[in-house]
Amino acid sequence: MNTDRKALWAVRQSALPTVVRSCPDCPGMRHRASGKIRVNANGKMLDVWLLLSCATCDRTSKVPVHERAHVSTLEPARLVAYEINDPAAVRELVTSASLAAKNRYRLDWTGTWELETRMPLYALDDPNPLPVQVRFELPAPVRVERLLQLGLGLSRAEVRRLVADGRIRLPFAPDAKAHQDFELTIHGPGSVDAAKRAKSLDAPGAERSDLARIGLPPVRDRTLAGRTLPGRATAAGASPVDQVRSRTTRAAAVKLPR
């Protein structure tokens, strides 16, 4: 069985985010990108604005991108992209979190993305782990458990149960929001059960001795919080297991006559 499979999930752009800020002409708070960038040159100094359109009254407003910037501070290719209203440049400015913070408005990412999954044939009871690469085409903050719901076709409760059982390994909490590429791994039940058994064997206090191999019970820890727990003991104060150990040690020390 092929254990080198990988799946690709891509968060694709379906629309640009809405700019949430007040409109000077109406009570509207939502603006959409007009698809245009305005460049104003005054000698060697440039002003660049992103143009928005109010969704209520259609009023055009400007978002400062560069103010009184010397022409030498902008790459020629970027300046050309601004001047021709390049869609990629418009998209970069509209989705820029730093530009939003600088101009004190909020981005609403509702309805801006969709998940495209390219996954090989896989069943959740497959014992082989499946790495999944998640790539973002736009920096939309997406709740991770929502991605898992869409990618695996499961309910929210089922996703949380698989995460809690260790079947889905994530680099962060499932209720966190991701906006950059990351990788997750889907594990089969067999591999998870084996990992749990190995972990239990490595736990402190696990009994590993030759006495267990011959059917003797493991020694119980009779101390808890500095107190001795009640238990069966001989007149000498030794437990049955300690008696067997003592007899075994004495027998090993006796030399058989020739």
Side-chain angles (χ1 to χ4, degrees):
M1 187 175 296
N2 183 14
T3 58
D4 296 328
R5 299 174 304 163
K6 286 187 177 181
L8 174 63
W9 293 1
V11 179
R12 301 293 188 194
Q13 175 185 316
S14 59
L16 291 174
T18 300
V19 173
V20 182
R21 72 176 196 174
S22 59
C23 176
D25 289 356
C26 76
M29 292 291 295
R30 303 177 69 81
H31 296 74
R32 57 179 179 269
S34 67
K36 295 181 180 181
I37 301 171
R38 181 175 295 172
V39 179
N40 184 29
N42 184 4
K44 294 292 184 179
M45 308 304 291
L46 297 175
D47 290 302
V48 180
W49 298 283
L50 172 68
L51 301 185
L52 303 176
S53 178
C54 177
T56 303
C57 68
D58 208 32
R59 180 190 190 275
T60 299
S61 59
K62 298 184 297 185
V63 174
V65 179
H66 300 285
E67 295 180 291
R68 307 303 294 167
H70 195 276
V71 66
S72 62
T73 62
L74 295 179
E75 296 179 357
R78 178 171 292 273
L79 181 56
V80 170
Y82 289 161
E83 292 174 339
I84 66 174
N85 298 314
D86 180 66
V90 173
R91 172 184 172 275
E92 178 186 354
L93 294 178
V94 175
T95 60
S96 172
S98 61
L99 188 63
K102 176 183 175 182
N103 290 278
R104 299 180 180 180
Y105 59 77
R106 181 174 62 86
L107 294 176
D108 184 358
W109 296 90
T110 304
T112 62
W113 62 274
E114 57 188 9
L115 184 65
E116 177 185 280
T117 59
R118 296 178 184 176
M119 179 182 285
L121 184 61
Y122 182 80
L124 288 177
D125 58 354
D126 192 323
N128 298 304
L130 179 68
V132 179
Q133 293 279 346
V134 182
R135 296 178 181 172
F136 284 76
E137 187 177 270
L138 76 168
V142 182
R143 198 172 298 277
V144 176
E145 64 182 3
R146 180 59 179 162
L147 286 177
L148 294 171
Q149 287 179 251
L150 296 174
L152 300 175
L154 300 175
S155 68
R156 184 180 182 184
E158 289 172 323
V159 166
R160 291 191 170 188
R161 178 177 56 81
L162 291 176
V163 172
D165 291 345
R167 297 282 305 281
I168 298 177
R169 304 288 176 84
L170 299 168
F172 27 62
D175 59 349
K177 289 185 178 181
H179 57 86
Q180 294 179 334
D181 299 355
F182 69 94
E183 181 174 318
L184 62 93
T185 307
I186 304 173
H187 290 268
S191 60
V192 173
D193 293 342
K196 288 182 177 179
R197 288 195 297 270
K199 186 176 181 180
S200 65
L201 289 177
D202 291 335
E207 181 71 15
R208 290 197 184 110
S209 68
D210 292 337
L211 293 177
R213 297 178 184 175
I214 61 175
L216 292 177
V219 178
R220 296 180 180 176
D221 188 0
R222 297 184 181 277
T223 60
L224 181 62
R227 295 180 298 174
T228 302
L229 298 180
R232 297 178 59 187
T234 61
S239 68
V241 174
D242 292 335
Q243 284 187 325
V244 172
R245 283 197 174 117
S246 178
R247 290 198 299 269
T248 303
T249 304
R250 290 199 302 270
V254 175
K255 295 183 179 180
L256 295 177
R258 297 182 179 180

